[in-house]
């Protein structure tokens, strides 16, 4: 019971319980603390910039939304990445983990809704909703307590000025407008350009603070 309680309250403890082969590095600890702050309502906007193969998606788009759904089964999550196929892939991983014995060990009262079939669009027994979308995709009628934007630009489009501009336009008219009161946004990405979404968001933030 003590182990269950600690795994429910502490994100990195949950990661270590679910992922038996996990080897914690210094950046994981910093990353985990920031995600924990989002979960605890202390942080509403988070940008994570790391190179490929540093566990950034495994944390932000797989383990973190799964753990949050366990803590708050009525949570509404929008998951976006540069293609709908990749976003749906994350949705499938989260859905499968929620449907596993390992997850039920930590959150015994949370499960998928009986009609949860599509990997990119499903619900929990607590009324929570998960919706996966590719960058540029329609979000009409969707609300979110948490929007996760993971690698919004592909390596192939990283040097395209128009593609980068389109991503920011979609971000401002899509996910940012779909947040519920008190909602949070996480942007996690590898940086390939000084004109990318991270740069534009930080620039706007600095302009507001000036």
């Amino acid at each position: 019971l003590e182990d269950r309680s600690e795994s429910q309250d502490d994100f990195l403890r949950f990661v270590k319980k679910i992922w038996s082969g996990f080897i914690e590095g210094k950046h994981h600890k910093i990353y985990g603390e920031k995600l924990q702050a989002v979960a605890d309502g202390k942080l509403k906007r988070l940008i994570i910039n790391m190179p490929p193969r540093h566990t950034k998606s495994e944390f932000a788009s797989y383990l973190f939304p799964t753990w949050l759904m366990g803590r708050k089964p009525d949570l509404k999550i929008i998951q976006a990445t540069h293609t709908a196929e990749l976003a749906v892939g994350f949705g499938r991983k989260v859905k499968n983990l929620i449907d596993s014995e390992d997850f039920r060990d930590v959150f015994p009262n949370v499960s998928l809704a009986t009609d949860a079939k599509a990997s990119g669009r499903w619900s929990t027994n607590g009324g929570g909703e998960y919706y996966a979308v590719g960058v540029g995709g329609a979000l009409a009628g969707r609300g979110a307590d948490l929007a996760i934007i993971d690698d919004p630009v592909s390596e192939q489009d990283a040097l395209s000025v128009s593609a980068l501009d389109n991503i920011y336009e979609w971000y401002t008219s899509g996910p940012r407008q779909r947040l519920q009161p008190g909602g949070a946004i996480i942007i996690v990405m590898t940086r390939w350009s000084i004109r990318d979404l991270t740069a534009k968001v930080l620039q706007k933030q600095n302009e507001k603070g000036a």
Side-chain angles (χ1 to χ4, degrees), residues 4 21 28 91 96 179 192 202-203:
R4 174 181 289 170
H28 292 125
N96 288 345
L179 278 190
W192 303 104
L202 292 178
Q203 180 185 352

Side-chain angles (χ1 to χ4, degrees), residues 141-160:
R142 297 284 167 185
D145 299 300
L146 173 64
I148 303 169
I149 302 169
D150 187 342
D151 275 334
V153 61
S154 66
E155 294 178 41
Q156 292 75 21
D157 288 335
L159 299 180
S160 167

Side-chain angles (χ1 to χ4, degrees), residues 17 48 183 185:
K17 182 174 181 62
I48 299 291
I185 300 176

Side-chain angles (χ1 to χ4, degrees), residues 24-44:
E24 184 178 8
K26 184 178 179 181
H27 71 289
H28 292 125
K29 187 174 181 182
I30 296 169
Y31 194 177
E33 287 172 353
K34 297 301 181 184
L35 292 173
Q36 183 78 43
V38 173
D40 294 340
K42 299 174 182 176
L43 191 61
K44 300 297 184 184

Side-chain angles (χ1 to χ4, degrees), residues 47 49 191 197-207:
I47 296 176
N49 297 140
R191 298 208 60 187
L197 183 59
T198 290
K200 292 178 187 298
V201 169
L202 292 178
Q203 180 185 352
K204 290 295 180 183
Q205 177 181 298
N206 290 335
E207 287 174 0

